[in-house]
Amino acid sequence: MVRGPEVAWLIENGFLARPVYYAPMEVDLSGVHIRMGDYTKSEIAEVMEKPAIVGCAVKHYLKYAAGKTAITFCVNLKHAAQVAEQFNAVGIKSEVIDGRLGDNDRRGIIDRLGSGITKNMISCDLVGEGFDCPSVGAAILLRPTASLGLHLQQCLDSETEILS
């Protein structure tokens, strides 16, 4: 096994930005089961699809990351659509990127995020390991995970603010 540099070393040496975390509300995950190292999707969706949670994410984006581009991580496509609807309703241009889209459509969304036309790219299990978009200034974690690897990928895809 070949080990790469530790996250702390990457931050200390300027390869990664030091994240700033904000957690606007506590989510009760006590009744959610873990299977194969992560939360059961159907159970986590039930918890995270509540309008209060999504509304809180919008409010905290406006407070802590307004004007920055963001990637929002969601539980499933229904959840992603709800999140996009609430962000778009307050004038924050948001697009859902998912595996059903063709390569050109996905590239278009990523390009609009990179240029700042789209302020919030909403992903459900698509954007993760190996994805890099330097213009991204915030990650909105609306997909709790019990997987350290997935959590780090979500956090390290963004450059600064982490809204969870």
Side-chain angles (χ1 to χ4, degrees):
M1 177 189 298
V2 177
R3 289 183 49 141
E6 299 290 326
V7 171
W9 184 90
L10 291 168
I11 291 171
E12 289 167 13
N13 288 279
F15 292 99
L16 294 175
R18 185 169 307 282
V20 177
Y21 291 87
Y22 301 98
M25 71 184 310
E26 192 165 326
V27 177
D28 181 11
L29 302 175
S30 61
V32 179
H33 294 89
I34 295 178
R35 277 197 205 112
M36 296 174 39
D38 206 355
Y39 294 117
T40 305
K41 278 226 178 169
S42 60
E43 292 176 8
I44 202 72
E46 239 178 83
V47 171
M48 297 306 294
E49 290 175 352
K50 294 180 177 141
I53 293 173
V54 177
C56 195
V58 172
K59 182 172 71 171
H60 278 73
Y61 168 86
L62 291 168
K63 182 175 181 179
Y64 295 109
K68 293 183 179 184
T69 56
I71 298 175
T72 299
F73 296 93
C74 290
V75 177
N76 57 31
L77 293 176
K78 177 183 171 194
H79 184 220
Q82 290 171 341
V83 170
E85 183 178 327
Q86 286 202 31
F87 272 88
N88 282 314
V90 296
I92 302 162
K93 172 77 170 135
S94 301
E95 296 185 75
V96 176
I97 188 167
D98 68 70
R100 299 174 304 173
L101 298 172
D103 289 344
N104 289 337
D105 291 333
R106 286 193 302 250
R107 172 57 42 211
I109 292 170
I110 293 168
D111 288 347
R112 287 187 293 279
L113 180 73
S115 70
I117 293 169
T118 295
K119 290 297 182 192
N120 187 13
M121 182 175 75
I122 301 166
S123 174
C124 172
D125 292 335
L126 185 66
V127 177
E129 186 174 342
F131 179 79
D132 184 32
C133 186
S135 69
V136 172
I140 302 171
L141 308 179
L142 295 179
R143 192 248 189 261
T145 181
S147 164
L148 176 61
L150 178 57
H151 174 74
L152 289 174
Q153 283 300 322
Q154 290 175 347
C155 292
L156 297 178
D157 278 342
S158 79
E159 292 293 316
T160 52
E161 270 69 37
I162 309 295
L163 309 176
S164 62

